[in-house]
Amino acid sequence: ITLAKTVLGALSGFFGDPSQGLELISNGSFETSDFSDWTIETTGTPFLPWSVSGAGSGAGFGMAPTSPQDGTFVAWNGFDGDGPMEFVMYQDVLLPATDAVLELTWLDRAQWDFGFGGTATLPRLYDVELRDPSTDALLTTLYSFSTGTQSTNPTGDTGWLTHSVDISAYSGQMVRLA
């Protein structure tokens, strides 16, 4: 078994200027203390299943504890265990029809240590995608991250990263943020 976890601190989608815009993502900072407005799915047997918690959870085995970046909660998982495995979290969002900028912003952090148990010969992948909610077909990949394999990158911690992507091309559409 290898040990790893992904932490999502906050997701927000804004219509127009983020400092004054209309929030489009429901429960983006998980302040309901659960996955309200999100659908979560997991295949395989994870090291730790999807969870929403406050600061200080998920520590151990050299992993930093959770540390909310917006509000008091974060969503996270221990993304290794008995695979093959896939964690999915998504929300369907109606984007307003507008000529203004539609911007999706989120924070995330990935940590891993492939030194426990067997050899990690495949990288662990993390993608942020827009999908068609009717068919689940991929519309676009907004962000992609790979840990690399145990032989190329045995341990790592990205630290908290902030991402911002213009999704105006999907104005007026219902999209699945996954």
Side-chain angles (χ1 to χ4, degrees):
I1 188 170
T2 54
L3 303 177
K5 73 178 182 181
T6 304
V7 183
L8 296 170
L11 298 100
S12 56
F14 289 101
F15 163 59
D17 177 0
S19 66
Q20 300 178 27
L22 171 67
E23 177 64 50
L24 301 175
I25 307 295
S26 297
N27 193 28
S29 293
F30 310 100
E31 292 306 298
T32 60
S33 74
D34 61 22
F35 287 103
S36 296
D37 301 312
W38 293 95
T39 299
I40 58 169
E41 300 170 349
T42 306
T43 62
T45 306
F47 165 54
L48 294 167
W50 277 113
S51 182
V52 173
S53 62
S57 296
F61 303 101
M63 303 289 168
T66 56
S67 57
Q69 300 296 294
D70 179 48
T72 56
F73 294 96
V74 294
W76 62 281
N77 64 56
F79 66 79
D80 240 326
D82 285 336
M85 183 175 314
E86 183 176 48
F87 283 90
V88 178
M89 180 176 71
Y90 67 87
Q91 183 176 135
D92 294 344
V93 180
L94 177 60
L95 301 178
T98 180
D99 290 333
V101 173
L102 292 171
E103 186 173 80
L104 175 68
T105 301
W106 74 95
L107 293 97
D108 59 33
R109 179 180 194 170
Q111 303 173 74
W112 64 96
D113 185 343
F114 294 144
F116 296 93
T119 303
T121 58
L122 297 173
R124 283 18 178 204
L125 307 174
Y126 164 62
D127 296 314
V128 178
E129 303 169 335
L130 288 184
R131 296 184 156 272
D132 179 317
S134 299
T135 64
D136 204 39
L138 179 65
L139 299 173
T140 189
T141 300
L142 302 173
Y143 176 75
S144 187
F145 173 77
S146 172
T147 61
T149 63
Q150 185 171 348
S151 64
T152 61
N153 201 11
T155 62
D157 183 347
T158 63
W160 281 101
L161 301 173
T162 301
H163 309 273
S164 188
V165 179
D166 183 344
I167 57 172
S168 299
Y170 300 93
S171 173
Q173 296 180 42
M174 177 71 79
V175 295
R176 175 165 290 165
L177 172 61

